[in-house]
Amino acid sequence: QAFYGNIISKLVRTSSRAVHGVKGLRNDALRAFLSKELSSDPGSRNALLADPVFEAAFGYEESDVTLAELQGNLLTESLVKALVRPSQEGMTEDYTFPLERKPYKHQLLAWKALMDPEICRSALVTSGTGSGKTECFLIPILNDLASEQTAKKGIGEAGVRAIFLYPLNALIKSQKDRLQAWSEPFNGQIRFCLYNGDTPD
């Protein structure tokens, strides 16, 4: 209880500060009043946050192979090196994928389906939040690009090789960071651009 109590208290404090930061209020009396109101216990009258809800969830099933076992077999060595030692500069999250980690079963199934030229190269992945759906499509695409680079002795193919479409800008941020972390180790041989409604022309 103490653990969750601390988290809830921190959420209340940081949420209250965020509101003040966004609004940029300069009146001290108004700031003090809002601080008191917004810092009320979650679920109470005028509180910023509702009562917390806890939900038990099962962990996602791991496959029976490690990333190290996939290196040189399903995945190219250069991609595995990029996953193990991603670019960390300017990142808010650590996107390291250690050699001993076992990908989830649905990730491995997607990789095998999307990397096998004998199988239809389409896949529909339905899984919960935080289950690594991004890796289901991103790893096969990066693997293809890494394979092309190896075949061409570091030159790679010219032109646009893949397009990712997102329905909302909000979905792009963490995936953009992950793509940057895993493409930077290729020293400019794998590059990407982001186009959205803020892009001029």
Side-chain angles (χ1 to χ4, degrees), residues 24-43:
L25 301 172
R26 297 175 188 224
N27 185 298
D28 291 338
L30 180 56
R31 285 178 64 85
F33 173 77
L34 281 178
S35 290
K36 183 179 177 185
E37 289 294 308
L38 297 176
S39 299
S40 303
D41 291 334

Side-chain angles (χ1 to χ4, degrees), residues 161-175:
R161 309 298 297 154
I163 297 175
F164 303 161
L165 300 176
Y166 292 91
L168 296 170
N169 286 346
L171 299 175
I172 297 173
K173 177 64 172 83
S174 71
Q175 299 190 8

Side-chain angles (χ1 to χ4, degrees), residues 115-182:
M115 292 185 205
D116 188 337
E118 301 299 319
I119 298 177
C120 177
R121 292 175 66 101
S122 294
L124 177 64
V125 180
T126 59
S127 187
T129 301
S131 63
K133 291 188 293 296
T134 298
E135 287 83 352
C136 289
F137 70 85
L138 186 54
I139 296 297
I141 290 172
L142 288 174
N143 195 65
D144 279 355
L145 295 172
S147 297
E148 287 180 355
Q149 184 198 30
T150 302
K152 297 281 187 177
K153 297 189 173 151
I155 298 171
E157 296 285 347
V160 176
R161 309 298 297 154
I163 297 175
F164 303 161
L165 300 176
Y166 292 91
L168 296 170
N169 286 346
L171 299 175
I172 297 173
K173 177 64 172 83
S174 71
Q175 299 190 8
K176 171 185 168 277
D177 289 348
R178 188 174 336 206
L179 184 56
Q180 182 176 338
W182 291 343

Side-chain angles (χ1 to χ4, degrees), residues 4 6 12 16 23 34 38 51 56 71-72 75 77 81 83 85-86 99 119 122 139 143 151 155 159 164 186-187 199:
Y4 292 112
N6 289 337
V12 170
S16 176
K23 294 300 179 186
L34 281 178
L38 297 176
D51 279 325
Q71 183 175 10
L75 303 177
E77 290 187 18
K81 286 178 184 174
L83 296 173
R85 295 185 190 87
L99 281 173
I119 298 177
S122 294
I139 296 297
N143 195 65
I155 298 171
F164 303 161
F186 288 93
N187 298 317
T199 305

Side-chain angles (χ1 to χ4, degrees), residues 85-106:
R85 295 185 190 87
S87 170
Q88 305 285 8
E89 189 175 346
M91 297 291 152
T92 56
E93 288 184 52
D94 182 5
Y95 294 108
T96 303
F97 203 123
L99 281 173
E100 63 275 8
R101 182 180 295 170
K102 295 179 178 179
Y104 294 129
K105 280 186 177 179
H106 62 275

